[in-house]
Amino acid sequence: MSLSAPIFLKEREEDNSKFVEIQQSQTTCIAAEDPLQNLCLASQEVLKKAQQNGRSKCLKCGGSRMFYCYTCYVPVENVPVEQIPHVKLPLKIDIIKHPNETDGKSTAVHAKLLAPEFVNIYTYPCIPEYEEKDHEVALVFPGPKSVSVKDISFHLQKKSQNSVRGKNDDLDNPSIKRKKTEEQDLNDSKCKDTTLKKIVFIDSTWNQTNKIFTDERLQGLLQVELKTRKTCFWRHQKGKPDTFLSTIEAIYYFLVDYHTDILKEKYKGQYDNLLFFYSFMHQLIKNAKCPEDKETRKLTH
């Protein structure tokens, strides 16, 4: 049975309206859920060419890799090192990698490739000694004792003062000349610059982090928790919320917050190139996994 003209036109208008709403919703979702789209990145043309040419040889170990060698931490032959960005960081970064973390799936290597002088990667149980420098090192890890990025300087200063006070007490316990009131300590800490010189990250699945986090060599470090952000990682861990970041995302977001909250400077994309490889791989996988929306197809046919 055919529809009358008014009914047909009304349904057509509803379909068109619904189609517009879907398009607007998709655009809004893309903007909200894809923070990688507005990054200030170096040209990724070298990666596009490498992707088209396929795997290439690592000049160190001879292994066949795509883009970079994840065991030697160097770009492969068809990705000249001078054509990838070099990122200068405001502090040193140590990454403690779980031994069961698959090298080829880890994003920690991106930081080492793009900021080689500032980043070191250690495979657990190998962990540097931080005991004598725990007043200038912090660990990014969530927990009840974690502090925000903006409070790092204050807590490290307190740790340093407590350490000095403890040493003085050991040398001359009866002395009261060296003692300060808590208020004086707080005022002194505000007058001094941040003492943070190194930040530590754990590279592991969340189910495996406990083994590294509970290691006694990390127990004296100040814990820092990042602001809540959604991951763009394509290897999402089953059963975990989308606020669990990949290692390179955690490094990037920490540095952005450090730049604005500690250095008190306007962020202008200084560390965006840390996501040079990550954003390119994300886009490749996104394009491969982006079938046309069924509802959109139905309304446009």
Side-chain angles (χ1 to χ4, degrees):
M1 184 175 72
S2 61
L3 296 172
S4 64
I7 296 176
F8 174 78
L9 291 174
K10 183 179 180 182
E11 291 188 354
R12 186 68 177 176
E13 288 176 1
E14 289 176 350
D15 282 352
N16 289 338
S17 177
K18 191 174 182 182
F19 175 59
V20 170
E21 287 177 3
I22 290 174
Q23 284 189 315
Q24 291 175 337
S25 175
Q26 289 174 337
T27 302
T28 302
C29 288
I30 290 171
E33 297 178 4
D34 189 5
L36 305 180
Q37 65 177 347
N38 294 319
L39 296 173
C40 298
L41 296 172
S43 171
Q44 294 175 320
E45 190 62 32
V46 64
L47 299 183
K48 294 177 183 176
K49 290 179 180 178
Q51 194 263 333
Q52 291 169 358
N53 294 332
R55 287 171 170 265
S56 183
K57 185 174 67 174
C58 170
L59 296 175
K60 281 193 173 182
C61 70
S64 177
R65 304 281 189 264
M66 180 68 81
F67 305 132
Y68 54 82
C69 180
Y70 44 76
T71 52
C72 299
Y73 308 143
V74 294
V76 291
E77 191 173 21
N78 65 1
V79 181
V81 66
E82 62 270 14
Q83 292 187 37
I84 65 172
H86 185 94
V87 186
K88 185 177 180 180
L89 305 183
L91 71 173
K92 300 286 187 178
I93 292 177
D94 281 353
I95 300 172
I96 315 299
K97 189 170 77 71
H98 194 282
N100 293 338
E101 184 73 4
T102 305
D103 290 338
K105 294 182 178 180
S106 171
T107 62
V109 64
H110 297 180
K112 181 63 176 176
L113 283 160
L114 298 162
E117 296 97 348
F118 299 91
V119 178
N120 284 306
I121 300 178
Y122 303 89
T123 300
Y124 188 81
C126 181
I127 296 180
E129 290 295 335
Y130 298 121
E131 186 175 1
E132 295 299 319
K133 298 182 178 181
D134 63 356
H135 58 285
E136 57 188 38
V137 181
L139 169 69
V140 173
F141 200 85
K145 296 181 180 180
S146 298
V147 304
S148 64
V149 173
K150 65 182 177 64
D151 292 329
I152 288 177
S153 298
F154 170 76
H155 287 281
L156 285 182
Q157 194 65 46
K158 282 189 67 176
K159 182 185 283 286
S160 178
Q161 290 168 345
N162 290 337
S163 176
V164 171
R165 215 183 282 126
K167 290 178 180 178
N168 288 338
D169 289 344
D170 289 340
L171 292 173
D172 189 10
N173 195 40
S175 174
I176 60 172
K177 295 180 180 179
R178 300 183 183 91
K179 291 187 177 181
K180 292 182 179 181
T181 65
E182 182 68 17
E183 183 178 354
Q184 286 175 320
D185 286 344
L186 297 182
N187 288 335
D188 287 347
S189 69
K190 291 178 181 177
C191 294
K192 294 184 179 180
D193 293 332
T194 175
T195 55
L196 184 65
K197 294 181 180 178
K198 182 175 289 185
I199 189 74
V200 181
F201 293 85
I202 296 175
D203 183 41
S204 167
T205 62
W206 282 97
N207 291 333
Q208 296 175 331
T209 54
N210 195 55
K211 183 177 181 179
I212 298 178
F213 171 67
T214 55
D215 191 288
E216 61 180 4
R217 291 169 290 181
L218 298 180
Q219 292 306 296
L221 298 183
L222 178 69
Q223 285 178 237
V224 180
E225 187 164 3
L226 301 178
K227 297 174 184 176
T228 300
R229 287 165 170 121
K230 288 187 178 182
T231 183
C232 292
F233 198 31
W234 48 93
R235 293 191 181 98
H236 185 68
Q237 295 180 38
K238 188 176 180 180
K240 301 299 181 184
D242 58 5
T243 53
F244 280 29
L245 305 175
S246 66
T247 302
I248 194 63
E249 286 176 312
I251 292 172
Y252 169 72
Y253 285 127
F254 170 83
L255 289 170
V256 171
D257 292 344
Y258 179 87
H259 196 84
T260 56
D261 295 342
I262 300 295
L263 300 183
K264 302 297 183 183
E265 297 178 13
K266 185 176 180 180
Y267 184 70
K268 299 179 180 179
Q270 289 90 334
Y271 316 119
D272 283 10
N273 273 321
L274 284 176
L275 300 176
F276 179 74
F277 290 104
Y278 185 82
S279 62
F280 184 79
M281 296 164 74
H282 173 267
Q283 191 60 49
L284 282 180
I285 293 168
K286 182 180 175 182
N287 291 343
K289 290 184 175 181
C290 192
E292 192 176 358
D293 185 86
K294 291 182 180 179
E295 187 68 18
T296 303
R297 284 205 310 268
K298 187 173 75 173
L299 291 173
T300 53
H301 283 69

